[in-house]
Protein backbone atom coordinates (compact mmCIF):
# COMPACT_ATOMS: atom_id res chain seq x y z
CA UNK A 1 0.00 0.00 0.00
CA UNK A 2 2.78 2.38 0.96
CA UNK A 3 4.71 1.51 -2.20
CA UNK A 4 1.64 2.23 -4.33
CA UNK A 5 1.25 5.64 -2.67
CA UNK A 6 4.93 6.45 -3.31
CA UNK A 7 4.58 5.37 -6.94
CA UNK A 8 1.45 7.47 -7.36
CA UNK A 9 3.17 10.49 -5.76
CA UNK A 10 6.24 10.01 -7.96
CA UNK A 11 4.04 9.82 -11.06
CA UNK A 12 2.17 12.99 -10.08
CA UNK A 13 5.45 14.84 -9.40
CA UNK A 14 6.87 13.67 -12.73
CA UNK A 15 3.79 14.82 -14.63
CA UNK A 16 3.90 18.20 -12.86
CA UNK A 17 7.60 18.66 -13.68
CA UNK A 18 7.00 17.71 -17.33
CA UNK A 19 4.08 20.16 -17.60
CA UNK A 20 6.08 22.97 -15.97
CA UNK A 21 9.09 22.33 -18.20
CA UNK A 22 6.84 22.16 -21.24
CA UNK A 23 5.28 25.54 -20.46
CA UNK A 24 8.74 26.95 -19.69
CA UNK A 25 10.19 25.76 -23.00
CA UNK A 26 7.08 27.03 -24.80
CA UNK A 27 7.53 30.47 -23.22
CA UNK A 28 11.24 30.54 -24.08
CA UNK A 29 10.57 29.43 -27.68
CA UNK A 30 7.83 32.05 -27.98
CA UNK A 31 10.10 34.82 -26.69
CA UNK A 32 12.90 33.75 -29.03
CA UNK A 33 10.48 33.69 -31.95
CA UNK A 34 9.39 37.24 -31.14
CA UNK A 35 12.98 38.46 -30.88
CA UNK A 36 14.27 36.50 -33.90
CA UNK A 37 13.51 39.25 -36.49
CA UNK A 38 15.51 41.67 -34.33
CA UNK A 39 18.34 39.27 -33.49
CA UNK A 40 20.90 40.90 -35.81
CA UNK A 41 20.11 44.39 -34.51
CA UNK A 42 20.21 43.26 -30.87
CA UNK A 43 23.51 41.39 -31.29
CA UNK A 44 25.10 44.37 -33.07
CA UNK A 45 23.77 46.75 -30.38
CA UNK A 46 25.36 44.65 -27.64
CA UNK A 47 28.63 44.50 -29.61
CA UNK A 48 28.61 48.27 -30.09
CA UNK A 49 27.88 48.84 -26.41
CA UNK A 50 30.81 46.64 -25.37
CA UNK A 51 33.21 48.12 -27.92
CA UNK A 52 32.18 51.73 -27.21
CA UNK A 53 32.08 51.51 -23.42
CA UNK A 54 35.45 53.34 -23.00
CA UNK A 55 34.20 56.21 -25.19
CA UNK A 56 30.94 56.38 -23.25
CA UNK A 57 32.78 56.38 -19.91
CA UNK A 58 34.97 59.25 -21.14
CA UNK A 59 31.93 61.26 -22.24
CA UNK A 60 30.13 60.53 -18.98
CA UNK A 61 33.05 61.81 -16.90
CA UNK A 62 33.43 64.93 -19.01
CA UNK A 63 29.70 65.67 -18.69
CA UNK A 64 29.66 65.36 -14.91
CA UNK A 65 28.50 61.75 -14.53
CA UNK A 66 25.17 62.24 -16.28
CA UNK A 67 24.45 58.93 -18.05
CA UNK A 68 21.47 60.08 -20.13
CA UNK A 69 23.26 63.13 -21.44
CA UNK A 70 26.39 61.09 -22.20
CA UNK A 71 24.27 58.48 -24.01
CA UNK A 72 22.61 61.20 -26.08
CA UNK A 73 25.98 62.62 -27.15
CA UNK A 74 27.23 59.10 -27.86
CA UNK A 75 24.20 58.35 -30.08
CA UNK A 76 24.60 61.63 -31.98
CA UNK A 77 28.29 60.86 -32.63
CA UNK A 78 27.48 57.30 -33.70
CA UNK A 79 24.69 58.35 -36.05
CA UNK A 80 26.92 61.00 -37.62
CA UNK A 81 29.66 58.44 -38.25
CA UNK A 82 27.14 56.03 -39.82
CA UNK A 83 24.88 58.34 -41.80
CA UNK A 84 27.36 60.68 -43.51
CA UNK A 85 29.53 58.07 -45.28
CA UNK A 86 26.49 55.82 -45.79
CA UNK A 87 24.66 58.62 -47.58
CA UNK A 88 27.65 59.36 -49.80
CA UNK A 89 28.34 55.78 -50.78
CA UNK A 90 24.73 54.57 -50.93
CA UNK A 91 23.85 57.40 -53.28
CA UNK A 92 26.76 56.50 -55.53
CA UNK A 93 26.04 52.78 -55.22
CA UNK A 94 22.32 52.94 -56.00
CA UNK A 95 22.65 55.50 -58.78
CA UNK A 96 25.52 53.54 -60.31
CA UNK A 97 23.66 50.23 -60.23
CA UNK A 98 20.47 51.87 -61.53
CA UNK A 99 22.38 53.51 -64.39
CA UNK A 100 24.08 50.22 -65.20
CA UNK A 101 20.76 48.34 -65.29
CA UNK A 102 19.10 51.05 -67.40
CA UNK A 103 21.92 50.96 -69.94
CA UNK A 104 21.72 47.18 -70.07
CA UNK A 105 17.95 47.23 -70.60
CA UNK A 106 18.20 49.88 -73.33
CA UNK A 107 21.25 48.36 -74.99
CA UNK A 108 23.17 51.62 -74.54
CA UNK A 109 25.95 50.34 -72.30
CA UNK A 110 29.30 51.40 -73.71
CA UNK A 111 32.91 51.09 -72.69
CA UNK A 112 34.87 54.32 -73.21
CA UNK A 113 37.63 53.92 -75.82
CA UNK A 114 41.14 53.67 -74.39
CA UNK A 115 43.67 56.43 -74.57
CA UNK A 116 46.37 55.76 -77.15
CA UNK A 117 48.98 56.08 -74.40
CA UNK A 118 47.76 52.71 -73.04
CA UNK A 119 49.45 51.01 -76.00
CA UNK A 120 52.79 52.41 -74.82
CA UNK A 121 52.66 50.68 -71.45
CA UNK A 122 55.42 48.07 -71.05
CA UNK A 123 54.65 44.35 -71.34
CA UNK A 124 50.82 44.49 -71.39
CA UNK A 125 50.22 47.73 -73.30
CA UNK A 126 49.60 46.38 -76.81
CA UNK A 127 47.33 43.49 -75.78
CA UNK A 128 45.40 45.60 -73.27
CA UNK A 129 44.86 48.38 -75.80
CA UNK A 130 43.64 45.95 -78.45
CA UNK A 131 41.23 44.16 -76.09
CA UNK A 132 39.93 47.42 -74.63
CA UNK A 133 39.37 48.94 -78.08
CA UNK A 134 37.55 45.84 -79.28
CA UNK A 135 35.24 45.94 -76.25
CA UNK A 136 34.50 49.64 -76.82
CA UNK A 137 33.56 48.96 -80.45
CA UNK A 138 31.68 45.65 -80.15
CA UNK A 139 30.28 45.71 -76.59
CA UNK A 140 26.68 46.04 -77.80
CA UNK A 141 26.74 42.73 -79.63
CA UNK A 142 28.33 41.02 -76.63
CA UNK A 143 25.71 42.47 -74.28
CA UNK A 144 22.85 41.53 -76.59
CA UNK A 145 24.15 37.99 -76.80
CA UNK A 146 24.13 37.59 -73.00
CA UNK A 147 21.48 40.22 -72.23
CA UNK A 148 19.24 37.97 -70.15
CA UNK A 149 22.04 36.73 -67.91
CA UNK A 150 23.60 40.16 -67.49
CA UNK A 151 20.23 41.77 -66.73
CA UNK A 152 19.55 39.14 -64.08
CA UNK A 153 22.90 39.81 -62.44
CA UNK A 154 22.34 43.56 -62.54
CA UNK A 155 18.89 43.17 -60.99
CA UNK A 156 20.39 41.05 -58.22
CA UNK A 157 23.05 43.68 -57.55
CA UNK A 158 20.36 46.39 -57.43
CA UNK A 159 18.36 44.32 -54.97
CA UNK A 160 21.51 43.93 -52.88
CA UNK A 161 21.97 47.70 -52.89
CA UNK A 162 18.42 48.21 -51.64
CA UNK A 163 19.04 45.55 -49.00
CA UNK A 164 22.14 47.43 -47.93
CA UNK A 165 19.96 50.50 -47.41
CA UNK A 166 17.85 48.44 -45.01
CA UNK A 167 21.04 47.34 -43.24
CA UNK A 168 22.00 50.99 -42.71
CA UNK A 169 18.66 51.46 -40.93
CA UNK A 170 19.52 48.44 -38.77
CA UNK A 171 22.87 50.02 -37.89
CA UNK A 172 21.10 53.24 -36.91
CA UNK A 173 18.63 51.36 -34.70
CA UNK A 174 21.44 49.30 -33.14
CA UNK A 175 23.39 52.48 -32.34
CA UNK A 176 20.38 53.93 -30.49
CA UNK A 177 19.85 50.66 -28.57
CA UNK A 178 23.55 50.51 -27.64
CA UNK A 179 23.31 54.03 -26.20
CA UNK A 180 20.33 52.96 -24.08
CA UNK A 181 22.24 49.88 -22.87
CA UNK A 182 25.25 51.99 -21.89
CA UNK A 183 23.08 54.45 -19.97
CA UNK A 184 21.18 51.68 -18.14
CA UNK A 185 22.70 50.89 -14.78
CA UNK A 186 23.32 47.24 -14.08
CA UNK A 187 23.88 46.14 -17.69
CA UNK A 188 27.49 45.12 -17.00
CA UNK A 189 26.57 43.26 -13.80
CA UNK A 190 23.73 41.49 -15.63
CA UNK A 191 26.17 40.11 -18.21
CA UNK A 192 28.53 38.88 -15.52
CA UNK A 193 25.67 37.20 -13.64
CA UNK A 194 24.67 35.51 -16.89
CA UNK A 195 28.17 34.07 -17.36
CA UNK A 196 28.32 32.98 -13.72
CA UNK A 197 25.05 31.09 -14.18
CA UNK A 198 26.34 29.63 -17.44
CA UNK A 199 29.84 28.46 -16.48
CA UNK A 200 29.94 28.73 -12.70
CA UNK A 201 32.59 30.45 -10.63
CA UNK A 202 34.74 31.27 -13.66
CA UNK A 203 31.92 33.33 -15.15
CA UNK A 204 33.67 36.60 -14.32
CA UNK A 205 36.81 35.53 -16.19
CA UNK A 206 34.80 34.35 -19.19
CA UNK A 207 32.90 37.64 -19.26
CA UNK A 208 36.18 39.56 -19.31
CA UNK A 209 37.50 37.31 -22.07
CA UNK A 210 34.36 37.90 -24.17
CA UNK A 211 34.58 41.67 -23.69
CA UNK A 212 38.26 41.69 -24.66
CA UNK A 213 37.55 39.59 -27.77
CA UNK A 214 34.70 41.86 -28.88
CA UNK A 215 36.87 44.97 -28.55
CA UNK A 216 39.86 43.40 -30.29
CA UNK A 217 37.87 42.15 -33.27
CA UNK A 218 35.81 45.34 -33.50
CA UNK A 219 38.90 47.56 -33.55
CA UNK A 220 41.42 45.31 -35.27
CA UNK A 221 39.19 43.84 -37.99
CA UNK A 222 35.96 45.79 -38.45
CA UNK A 223 37.38 49.20 -37.53
CA UNK A 224 40.33 48.79 -39.87
CA UNK A 225 38.04 47.57 -42.69
CA UNK A 226 35.66 50.52 -42.34
CA UNK A 227 38.51 53.09 -42.24
CA UNK A 228 40.25 51.51 -45.22
CA UNK A 229 37.03 51.31 -47.28
CA UNK A 230 36.19 54.92 -46.42
CA UNK A 231 39.63 56.19 -47.48
CA UNK A 232 39.64 54.23 -50.73
CA UNK A 233 35.99 54.99 -51.49
CA UNK A 234 36.54 58.70 -50.90
CA UNK A 235 39.44 58.58 -53.35
CA UNK A 236 37.24 56.83 -55.92
CA UNK A 237 34.53 59.49 -55.53
CA UNK A 238 36.91 62.45 -55.80
CA UNK A 239 38.76 60.89 -58.74
CA UNK A 240 35.50 60.46 -60.63
CA UNK A 241 35.63 56.67 -60.86
CA UNK A 242 32.35 55.28 -62.26
CA UNK A 243 30.26 53.27 -59.79
CA UNK A 244 32.53 54.33 -56.91
CA UNK A 245 30.04 53.10 -54.31
CA UNK A 246 30.07 49.56 -55.71
CA UNK A 247 33.88 49.40 -55.62
CA UNK A 248 33.97 50.86 -52.10
CA UNK A 249 31.51 48.22 -50.91
CA UNK A 250 33.64 45.51 -52.51
CA UNK A 251 36.73 46.92 -50.75
CA UNK A 252 34.85 46.81 -47.42
CA UNK A 253 33.89 43.16 -47.91
CA UNK A 254 37.44 42.20 -48.92
CA UNK A 255 38.90 44.05 -45.94
CA UNK A 256 36.56 42.31 -43.50
CA UNK A 257 37.49 38.98 -45.10
CA UNK A 258 41.16 39.90 -44.48
CA UNK A 259 41.86 39.93 -48.22
CA UNK A 260 43.95 42.67 -49.86
CA UNK A 261 42.07 45.74 -51.08
CA UNK A 262 44.61 46.04 -53.90
CA UNK A 263 42.50 43.48 -55.79
CA UNK A 264 40.11 46.38 -56.47
CA UNK A 265 42.61 49.25 -56.34
CA UNK A 266 44.99 48.02 -59.05
CA UNK A 267 42.40 47.84 -61.89
CA UNK A 268 41.20 51.32 -60.89
CA UNK A 269 44.78 52.60 -61.15
CA UNK A 270 44.99 51.18 -64.66
CA UNK A 271 41.78 53.03 -65.50
CA UNK A 272 43.13 56.28 -64.02
CA UNK A 273 46.19 56.19 -66.27
CA UNK A 274 43.93 55.69 -69.28
CA UNK A 275 41.81 58.81 -68.66
CA UNK A 276 44.19 61.22 -66.87
CA UNK A 277 47.60 62.62 -67.65
CA UNK A 278 50.71 61.15 -66.01
CA UNK A 279 50.93 63.65 -63.12
CA UNK A 280 47.30 63.51 -61.80
CA UNK A 281 47.15 59.75 -62.40
CA UNK A 282 50.40 59.28 -60.47
CA UNK A 283 49.12 61.39 -57.56
CA UNK A 284 45.88 59.41 -57.35
CA UNK A 285 47.86 56.20 -57.63
CA UNK A 286 50.05 57.21 -54.70
CA UNK A 287 46.99 58.03 -52.57
CA UNK A 288 45.16 54.80 -53.44
CA UNK A 289 48.23 52.64 -52.83
CA UNK A 290 48.76 54.22 -49.41
CA UNK A 291 45.05 53.82 -48.58
CA UNK A 292 45.10 50.23 -49.84
CA UNK A 293 48.07 49.38 -47.64
CA UNK A 294 46.75 51.34 -44.62
CA UNK A 295 45.73 48.14 -42.82
CA UNK A 296 49.42 47.32 -42.36
CA UNK A 297 49.86 50.17 -39.88
CA UNK A 298 46.25 50.52 -38.68
CA UNK A 299 46.08 46.98 -37.31
CA UNK A 300 49.11 47.32 -34.99
CA UNK A 301 47.71 50.65 -33.75
CA UNK A 302 44.18 49.40 -33.06
CA UNK A 303 44.75 45.73 -32.33
CA UNK A 304 47.76 45.76 -30.05
CA UNK A 305 49.80 42.64 -29.43
CA UNK A 306 48.78 39.58 -31.39
CA UNK A 307 45.78 38.84 -33.55
CA UNK A 308 42.55 38.11 -31.65
CA UNK A 309 41.77 34.87 -33.52
CA UNK A 310 43.08 33.01 -36.58
CA UNK A 311 42.15 34.49 -39.95
CA UNK A 312 40.12 31.40 -40.90
CA UNK A 313 37.75 32.05 -37.97
CA UNK A 314 37.21 35.62 -39.15
CA UNK A 315 36.67 34.43 -42.72
CA UNK A 316 34.14 31.76 -41.77
CA UNK A 317 32.38 34.16 -39.41
CA UNK A 318 32.03 36.81 -42.11
CA UNK A 319 30.78 34.43 -44.81
CA UNK A 320 28.49 32.50 -42.46
CA UNK A 321 27.17 35.69 -40.88
CA UNK A 322 26.38 37.15 -44.29
CA UNK A 323 24.52 34.00 -45.39
CA UNK A 324 22.59 33.93 -42.11
CA UNK A 325 21.83 37.61 -41.46
CA UNK A 326 22.58 39.53 -44.65
CA UNK A 327 24.81 42.60 -44.73
CA UNK A 328 24.79 43.15 -40.96
CA UNK A 329 26.04 39.56 -40.61
CA UNK A 330 29.34 40.66 -42.18
CA UNK A 331 29.99 42.43 -38.89
CA UNK A 332 28.20 40.32 -36.29
CA UNK A 333 29.28 36.94 -37.70
CA UNK A 334 33.01 37.56 -37.29
CA UNK A 335 32.61 38.75 -33.70
CA UNK A 336 30.17 36.06 -32.54
CA UNK A 337 32.30 33.26 -34.01
CA UNK A 338 35.44 34.83 -32.51
CA UNK A 339 33.84 34.86 -29.07
CA UNK A 340 32.77 31.24 -29.49
CA UNK A 341 36.28 30.28 -30.62
CA UNK A 342 38.00 32.00 -27.69
CA UNK A 343 35.60 30.53 -25.11
CA UNK A 344 35.91 27.08 -26.67
CA UNK A 345 39.72 27.23 -26.56
CA UNK A 346 39.54 28.48 -22.97
CA UNK A 347 37.23 25.64 -22.02
CA UNK A 348 39.56 23.08 -23.66
CA UNK A 349 42.74 24.42 -22.08
CA UNK A 350 41.45 25.50 -18.69
CA UNK A 351 42.06 22.96 -15.96
CA UNK A 352 44.07 24.38 -13.14
CA UNK A 353 45.40 27.25 -15.23
CA UNK A 354 44.13 30.82 -14.96
CA UNK A 355 41.92 31.76 -17.88
CA UNK A 356 44.37 34.43 -19.06
CA UNK A 357 47.01 31.70 -19.55
CA UNK A 358 44.56 29.26 -21.10
CA UNK A 359 43.83 31.49 -24.07
CA UNK A 360 47.07 32.59 -25.65
CA UNK A 361 47.07 35.32 -28.29
CA UNK A 362 47.60 34.00 -31.80
CA UNK A 363 50.60 35.75 -33.37
CA UNK A 364 50.02 37.76 -36.51
CA UNK A 365 51.14 36.36 -39.84
Amino acid sequence: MENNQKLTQFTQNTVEVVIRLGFLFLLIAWCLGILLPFSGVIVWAVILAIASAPLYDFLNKRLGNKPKRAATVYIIIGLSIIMLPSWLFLESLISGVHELKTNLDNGTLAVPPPNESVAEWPLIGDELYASWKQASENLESIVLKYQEQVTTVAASVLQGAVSMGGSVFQFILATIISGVLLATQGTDEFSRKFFRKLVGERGHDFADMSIKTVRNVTKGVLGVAVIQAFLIGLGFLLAGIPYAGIWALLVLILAILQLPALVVVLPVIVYLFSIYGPIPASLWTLYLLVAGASDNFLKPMLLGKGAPVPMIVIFLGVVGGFLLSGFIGLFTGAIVLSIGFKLFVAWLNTEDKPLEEAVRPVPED
Side-chain angles (χ1 to χ4, degrees), residues 74-139:
Y74 161 81
I75 291 173
I76 292 173
I77 295 174
L79 293 181
S80 301
I81 293 174
I82 292 173
M83 295 178 69
L84 181 59
S86 296
W87 178 77
L88 289 173
F89 291 125
L90 270 177
E91 183 184 27
S92 173
L93 178 65
I94 294 175
S95 62
V97 173
H98 184 267
E99 179 185 352
L100 180 62
K101 185 177 183 301
T102 301
N103 290 335
L104 285 171
D105 291 339
N106 298 333
T108 57
L109 182 66
V111 173
N115 192 302
E116 293 184 359
S117 62
V118 174
E120 300 175 2
W121 294 356
L123 300 179
I124 62 171
D126 292 334
E127 294 183 6
L128 180 61
Y129 179 81
S131 301
W132 193 338
K133 186 175 181 181
Q134 183 180 5
S136 66
E137 294 174 351
N138 302 319
L139 182 63

Side-chain angles (χ1 to χ4, degrees), residues 21-335:
L21 287 176
F23 275 106
L24 178 61
F25 287 132
L26 177 63
L27 178 62
I28 293 174
W30 200 345
C31 292
L32 292 177
I34 293 172
L35 293 176
L36 186 61
F38 307 98
S39 58
V41 174
I42 293 173
V43 170
W44 184 240
V46 173
I47 290 170
L48 278 180
I50 294 173
S52 306
L55 172 62
Y56 170 80
D57 293 337
F58 172 79
L59 292 173
N60 193 30
K61 290 179 181 178
R62 294 297 298 267
L63 295 173
N65 292 322
K66 296 183 178 180
K68 293 183 179 179
R69 185 177 298 178
T72 302
V73 175
Y74 161 81
I75 291 173
I76 292 173
I77 295 174
L79 293 181
S80 301
I81 293 174
I82 292 173
M83 295 178 69
L84 181 59
S86 296
W87 178 77
L88 289 173
F89 291 125
L90 270 177
E91 183 184 27
S92 173
L93 178 65
I94 294 175
S95 62
V97 173
H98 184 267
E99 179 185 352
L100 180 62
K101 185 177 183 301
T102 301
N103 290 335
L104 285 171
D105 291 339
N106 298 333
T108 57
L109 182 66
V111 173
N115 192 302
E116 293 184 359
S117 62
V118 174
E120 300 175 2
W121 294 356
L123 300 179
I124 62 171
D126 292 334
E127 294 183 6
L128 180 61
Y129 179 81
S131 301
W132 193 338
K133 186 175 181 181
Q134 183 180 5
S136 66
E137 294 174 351
N138 302 319
L139 182 63
E140 184 176 354
S141 60
I142 296 175
V143 171
L144 289 175
K145 183 178 180 180
Y146 300 99
Q147 185 174 13
E148 184 177 350
Q149 294 88 337
V150 175
T151 303
T152 302
V153 172
S156 301
V157 174
L158 181 61
Q159 184 179 0
V162 175
S163 174
M164 184 182 172
S167 299
V168 172
F169 175 75
Q170 290 181 314
F171 281 114
I172 292 172
L173 184 59
T175 301
I176 296 173
I177 295 175
S178 68
V180 174
L181 291 175
L182 288 169
T184 303
Q185 295 182 352
T187 302
D188 182 67
E189 183 59 27
F190 173 81
S191 64
R192 296 184 184 279
K193 285 182 180 179
F194 174 78
F195 272 99
R196 282 198 293 270
K197 288 288 185 180
L198 194 64
V199 296
E201 59 185 20
R202 285 187 174 271
H204 182 81
D205 294 333
F206 275 92
D208 287 340
M209 180 61 62
S210 299
I211 291 172
K212 184 184 296 185
T213 302
V214 167
R215 290 177 179 169
N216 280 344
V217 177
T218 302
K219 293 188 301 181
V221 177
L222 303 184
V224 170
V226 170
I227 293 172
Q228 188 177 35
F230 176 77
L231 293 174
I232 294 175
L234 184 63
F236 288 171
L237 280 174
L238 296 178
I241 302 299
Y243 316 119
I246 299 176
W247 309 128
L249 175 61
L250 184 56
V251 169
L252 176 64
I253 295 173
L254 289 174
I256 295 176
L257 288 171
Q258 305 292 283
L259 298 175
L262 294 178
V263 173
V264 176
V265 171
L266 291 179
V268 172
I269 290 175
V270 173
Y271 176 76
L272 286 171
F273 273 97
S274 70
I275 62 173
Y276 288 131
I279 295 178
S282 298
L283 292 176
W284 279 120
T285 297
L286 178 61
Y287 171 82
L288 292 175
L289 288 177
V290 171
S294 60
D295 59 323
N296 292 323
F297 55 85
L298 285 173
K299 282 183 181 178
M301 290 171 55
L302 298 176
L303 186 57
K305 297 180 179 179
V309 289
M311 190 183 76
I312 185 63
V313 175
I314 300 292
F315 182 85
L316 293 176
V318 171
V319 176
F322 177 75
L323 294 176
L324 181 66
S325 307
F327 185 75
I328 199 171
L330 289 173
F331 299 87
T332 58
I335 294 176

